[in-house]
Amino acid sequence: MVEPAHSTFILGGQRSGKSRWAELLSRDWLAAAPVHRAVMIATGQACDEEMRERIARHQSDRADRVPGMVTVEEPRALVDALRRHSDPQTLVIVDCLTLWLTNLMMPAATAQVLPEADVLAAGEALCDAIATATGPVVLVGNEIGLGVIPMGSEVRAFVDTLGRLNQRVAASCQRVTLMAAGLPLTLKDET
């Protein structure tokens, strides 16, 4: 059994096994005690058909792998959702920080783009919510800064902001795991 830390940050590339690792932690948490609960705060939005299919597939797979986990959809008000669901008997998974940041910086047509200062403040509020959570928190995010430098200024700004967010969240968490090819590599463990 994998013991969750008070706060865990799992990052890696697309299809690296990040979400599955978080689900493994929640499955083990649920099996450890009958009073344990698990809540997934999902930040993705179904803005097109491919994303709707992707979300439906994730929901189906998650229901098969971790039938006791509850999913809460929250694309933007992540800090409020984390605070609302944090409880000593509840493992909260946030999947994923990259989509949350996308929803703040490059939202769907119906939402307002947050100014850079507000995005930075949201990141700081998230780190505060992680530190003050009363139960275990697992955050999932993408490491996208390993590839080529994007051509557009908006995309470069997003990559830079995500890199800074990842650094702040990693500093706030007790455990940081990098996933590659489905294998976990512990970068930090202060448990």
Side-chain angles (χ1 to χ4, degrees):
M1 181 169 124
V2 179
E3 274 298 313
H6 174 73
S7 52
T8 300
F9 185 29
I10 303 168
L11 71 161
Q14 192 167 343
R15 294 283 175 228
S16 62
K18 304 177 303 289
S19 295
R20 193 166 291 208
W21 189 253
E23 290 170 0
L24 174 67
L25 292 174
S26 67
R27 188 194 68 203
D28 289 351
W29 172 261
L30 289 169
V35 296
H36 283 178
R37 294 177 304 280
V39 173
M40 163 82 68
I41 301 174
T43 61
Q45 291 183 287
C47 297
D48 59 40
E49 186 58 33
E50 185 274 336
M51 193 61 167
R52 277 188 283 282
E53 291 172 6
R54 181 180 289 258
I55 288 171
R57 187 174 54 250
H58 279 287
Q59 290 170 337
S60 175
D61 292 348
R62 206 168 35 243
D64 288 343
R65 287 192 293 263
V66 192
M69 185 169 17
V70 173
T71 300
V72 175
E73 306 282 335
E74 186 46 71
R76 289 177 60 107
L78 174 58
V79 173
D80 292 339
L82 178 54
R83 288 187 172 133
R84 188 171 52 253
H85 293 285
S86 182
D87 176 90
Q89 300 302 322
T90 303
L91 173 77
V92 177
I93 296 176
V94 175
D95 197 354
C96 82
L97 292 183
T98 310
L99 288 175
W100 173 65
L101 186 63
T102 300
N103 295 335
L104 299 180
M105 293 183 70
M106 298 179 274
T110 59
Q112 178 184 356
V113 175
L114 285 184
E116 182 179 356
D118 291 351
V119 170
L120 295 174
E124 292 305 317
L126 175 63
C127 291
D128 181 59
I130 293 166
T132 59
T134 58
V137 179
V138 176
L139 303 109
V140 176
N142 289 71
E143 176 53 71
I144 64 172
L146 298 172
V148 296
I149 297 172
M151 291 185 63
S153 63
E154 272 187 344
V155 179
R156 280 193 302 274
F158 177 81
V159 171
D160 290 347
T161 303
L162 180 62
R164 285 190 288 274
L165 176 65
N166 284 349
Q167 289 181 48
R168 286 196 307 271
V169 170
S172 298
C173 288
Q174 288 181 318
R175 184 178 293 148
V176 179
T177 301
L178 176 67
M179 296 297 298
L183 300 173
L185 174 64
T186 300
L187 302 179
K188 173 182 175 183
D189 192 347
E190 296 177 348
T191 56

